[in-house]
């Protein structure tokens, strides 16, 4: 699993409460994934932060990613940052059954998984579209959005 140490630029107490998914809130695919997580994460394991927001931007910068031109979504859990296909698999693994079954894809070497991930990430707007404004979840999920 690719783990990167996070250089802290954000509020430590807010980050210590569990894994945070940082995603592109204008990407249609990314927003659909965020909505999927909110719908299927019944245990409330994950919190979400858009890369366009203050916390998401700070987490990207702390992870060495330019928030104006990100090449990946990230999952931040304490000092550990997952990116690329490892981040996606961590998300689905954290959702419980049946989504945890996606972890079988860890048997595929990262050197094969990540090029496909990077290709989709680079072409996400062309393939899936771009929203005019950032997606904002409903009030029932307000406590899970940073």
């Amino acid at each position: 699993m690719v783990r990167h140490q996070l250089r802290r630029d954000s509020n430590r107490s807010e980050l210590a409460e569990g894994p945070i998914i940082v995603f592109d809130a204008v990407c249609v695919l990314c927003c659909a994934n965020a909505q999927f997580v909110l719908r299927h994460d019944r245990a409330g394991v994950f919190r979400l932060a858009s890369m366009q927001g203050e916390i998401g931007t700070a987490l990207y910068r702390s992870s060495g990613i330019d928030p104006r031109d990100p090449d990946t979504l990230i999952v931040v859990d304490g000092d550990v940052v997952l990116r690329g296909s490892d981040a996606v698999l961590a998300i689905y693994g954290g959702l419980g059954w049946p989504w945890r079954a996606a972890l079988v894809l860890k048997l595929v070497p990262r050197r094969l998984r990540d090029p496909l991930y990077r290709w989709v990430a680079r072409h996400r707007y062309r393939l899936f579209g771009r929203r005019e404004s950032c997606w904002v979840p409903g009030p029932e999920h307000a406590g899970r959005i940073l």
Side-chain angles (χ1 to χ4, degrees):
M1 186 175 302
V2 175
R3 293 173 182 253
H4 300 277
Q5 290 302 114
L6 181 65
R7 294 183 309 270
R8 296 282 183 193
D9 290 337
S10 299
N11 183 334
R12 181 177 283 279
S13 65
E14 203 166 57
L15 298 178
E17 297 175 16
I20 301 167
I21 300 168
V22 184
F23 70 101
D24 182 352
V26 297
C27 167
V28 171
L29 174 65
C30 304
C31 291
N33 187 57
Q35 292 169 20
F36 182 87
V37 168
L38 289 173
R39 192 169 48 252
H40 295 287
D41 181 15
R42 300 201 195 292
V45 172
F46 294 103
R47 291 171 301 141
L48 295 125
S50 77
M51 68 178 208
Q52 289 83 6
E54 185 178 329
I55 292 173
T57 296
L59 288 170
Y60 265 31
R61 283 194 178 116
S62 295
S63 302
I65 301 169
D66 180 356
R68 293 169 298 170
D69 187 27
D71 60 351
T72 184
L73 68 79
I74 60 174
V75 175
V76 179
D77 192 1
D79 289 336
V80 175
V81 178
L82 300 174
R83 56 193 309 169
S85 62
D86 283 336
V88 171
L89 291 176
I91 292 167
Y92 285 89
L95 294 179
W97 194 255
W99 316 114
R100 181 180 301 268
L103 291 176
V104 73
L105 293 174
K106 281 190 166 191
L107 296 173
V108 176
R110 186 181 310 111
R111 64 180 162 60
L112 298 176
R113 285 185 276 131
D114 276 350
L116 176 61
Y117 176 89
R118 283 191 300 271
W119 186 86
V120 171
R122 269 193 314 273
H123 298 94
R124 66 189 183 276
Y125 297 139
R126 188 168 45 103
L127 294 170
F128 301 99
R130 183 182 181 123
R131 301 170 58 90
E132 291 297 317
S133 61
C134 290
W135 167 73
V136 178
E140 69 276 15
H141 298 297
R144 303 204 32 218
I145 308 301
L146 303 174

